[in-house]
Amino acid sequence: MGLEAKLNGNSFFTTTVDALTEWARKNSVWPMPMGISCCAIEMMASGDPKYDIARFGSEVMRFTPRQCDLMIVAGTVTYKMSHVVRKIYDQMPDPKWVIAMGACTSSGGMYRSYPVVQGIDQFLPVDIYLAGCPPRPDNLLNALIQIQEKIGRTKARDFQDKPLPRLTVVQPNGEFLQNN
Amino acid sequence: MASPKELLEQRLNEKFSGENFIFNEHRNELTVSLDKKNIIAVCKYLKEEPELAFRLCEDITAVDWATRKNRFSVVYHIYSLKMNFRLALKASVDEKDCNIDSVSSVWNTANWHERETFDMYGIHFNNHPDLRRMYMPEEFEYHPLRKDFPLMGIPGSLSLPKNKN
Ligand code: SF4
């Protein structure tokens, strides 16, 4: 960053914990590629060297929701599929964000008919709606930058106060232990 | 040599004499309308007769005529590799007696095609090995390709996940 040139010996910076966590969080947004139909092709394109989503620290598309921060819902969500999308979203650890990529996910798009959910915000909290059918990869990168700006406004403690999920652990002696 | 159409006409009338077949040719596509009670016998014959050999069942679907007396037509698209000839079979089904025999014992492919037709039109296929819905959720009560089903569906008939946050 150019700063390291000024540092010599045992130099140090002072900063706030908020600034540090925000910087770390927003530059390592790992996406969950929820590629359901044609928009997923453009999502893949944004990972290639030409558009290179790695410049923003988001090149690690994880195929397990447990390692992701950002769900990119790319494609037509039917009522039958909506339960799957929600289940995967619920498995992602907090904090998490959602991009509704494309006309279909944002509003049902051209599928104005009975099987397609007319906008995934009916069952998911959406952060960014992305216009286009399909949106170009640079548009997806723009959405990612917007998400980063949004993450930049969070504080370190913002996601600390959610109650832990109720878990049951079986002890070696066969007893059940509950965390709360 | 007789054309496939002549051959079919001759063979079917000979084998099933007394039954009513209507042959209809439109733009080089032959359609045979038949009574639904003959469907298995005719399909079996068309498949197993060595000269005809309709071994490939390409699709099974239906048409909803809404106000016609026999409301539905079940349509079978079959193909003979031997003759390089495509044939459509049509059988009428009434709404009150909404069933037809399954041909999945003749062509295994028919299994899923019939499930789809059942899902979309609510036509029951007798003796089908596994007549479940194909596309719509199991608990869905309607048949979307029927003409009286609204395009945007029936509100509340399909469930969404509960928004917990
Ligand atoms: S918005 Fe367009 S490109 Fe994207 S999933 Fe829908 S139809 Fe396909």
Side-chain angles (χ1 to χ4, degrees):
Chain A
M1 287 192 285
L3 275 172
E4 59 271 27
K6 308 257 182 220
L7 297 174
N8 39 40
N10 293 331
S11 311
F12 57 90
F13 293 124
T14 52
T15 182
T16 58
V17 175
D18 279 345
L20 191 66
T21 46
E22 164 219 305
W23 171 78
R25 253 180 206 156
K26 79 179 199 186
N27 289 299
S28 63
V29 180
W30 288 13
M32 165 83 229
M34 196 71 223
I36 301 169
S37 54
C38 15
C39 270
I41 303 295
E42 297 299 295
M43 180 175 66
M44 290 175 222
S46 58
D48 72 13
K50 185 170 175 189
Y51 296 100
D52 201 8
I53 204 169
R55 289 177 294 160
F56 306 95
S58 295
E59 74 279 18
V60 267
M61 303 263 177
R62 292 283 118 166
F63 293 93
T64 161
R66 288 162 212 274
Q67 300 172 352
C68 299
D69 312 296
L70 168 69
M71 184 187 241
I72 305 176
V73 187
T76 322
V77 183
T78 57
Y79 279 89
K80 216 172 171 181
M81 192 68 190
S82 66
H83 297 269
V84 180
V85 176
R86 180 71 209 200
K87 198 175 216 167
I88 291 174
Y89 176 80
D90 285 341
Q91 289 176 10
M92 287 164 57
D94 279 321
K96 50 193 171 186
W97 291 271
V98 176
I99 293 179
M101 182 178 180
C104 283
T105 31
S106 304
S107 69
M110 61 177 174
Y111 300 102
R112 188 152 174 77
S113 70
Y114 65 93
V116 176
V117 183
Q118 305 292 306
I120 59 164
D121 46 7
Q122 290 180 32
F123 64 94
L124 271 190
V126 178
D127 294 287
I128 303 276
Y129 299 90
L130 198 45
C133 177
R136 286 179 53 86
D138 26 4
N139 209 349
L140 179 61
L141 296 181
N142 180 36
L144 181 64
I145 294 167
Q146 306 264 338
I147 289 273
Q148 289 184 337
E149 277 173 19
K150 189 166 182 178
I151 297 173
R153 293 194 292 272
T154 60
K155 298 269 181 286
R157 279 196 55 83
D158 274 0
F159 303 99
Q160 303 295 308
D161 299 332
K162 298 227 165 146
L164 284 173
R166 194 174 169 82
L167 293 175
T168 309
V169 182
V170 186
Q171 299 292 88
N173 61 7
E175 279 178 22
F176 293 100
L177 187 76
Q178 274 176 344
N179 64 341
N180 55 355
Chain B
M1 212 183 106
S3 72
K5 187 190 172 201
E6 287 158 9
L7 186 69
L8 272 166
E9 230 168 298
Q10 180 207 337
R11 288 309 191 82
L12 282 177
N13 285 328
E14 188 182 290
K15 171 91 184 170
F16 300 92
S17 59
E19 298 297 342
N20 188 20
F21 292 106
I22 300 166
F23 292 80
N24 182 16
E25 193 168 12
H26 180 64
R27 306 207 176 183
N28 299 326
E29 301 250 334
L30 183 64
T31 306
V32 180
S33 306
L34 64 155
D35 195 333
K36 76 172 185 182
K37 72 176 194 294
N38 296 330
I39 191 75
I40 288 197
V42 171
C43 287
K44 222 182 173 74
Y45 177 72
L46 290 175
K47 184 187 175 192
E48 285 169 5
E49 174 69 22
E51 247 183 290
L52 303 173
F54 283 92
R55 304 292 297 274
L56 183 63
C57 172
E58 290 181 327
D59 196 10
I60 296 174
T61 183
V63 184
D64 181 1
W65 297 100
T67 50
R68 200 178 75 168
K69 182 164 157 276
N70 286 320
R71 180 169 167 185
F72 301 102
S73 298
V74 183
V75 188
Y76 303 77
H77 291 278
I78 57 177
Y79 181 67
S80 165
L81 288 149
K82 185 162 184 203
M83 296 194 286
N84 185 18
F85 187 73
R86 203 164 258 122
L87 175 71
L89 299 175
K90 268 189 185 179
S92 291
V93 173
D94 189 28
E95 194 183 356
K96 293 207 186 61
D97 186 25
C98 206
N99 61 63
I100 187 167
D101 289 337
S102 163
V103 295
S104 52
S105 58
V106 183
W107 297 285
N108 274 329
T109 342
N111 187 324
W112 279 24
H113 290 320
E114 287 177 345
R115 276 178 62 186
E116 182 191 354
T117 311
F118 164 69
D119 189 0
M120 291 290 139
Y121 294 93
I123 296 167
H124 198 87
F125 289 87
N126 302 329
N127 302 326
H128 189 283
D130 181 25
L131 195 63
R132 282 178 297 137
R133 283 183 178 274
M134 192 79 187
Y135 299 130
M136 305 306 289
E138 295 275 307
E139 65 278 2
F140 190 62
E141 291 168 33
Y142 307 93
H143 299 287
L145 284 192
R146 287 193 172 194
K147 292 286 182 218
D148 48 12
F149 186 83
L151 177 64
M152 285 309 289
I154 290 167
S157 60
L158 284 163
S159 68
L160 275 174
K162 291 210 180 58
N163 205 339
K164 280 176 230 146
N165 294 355

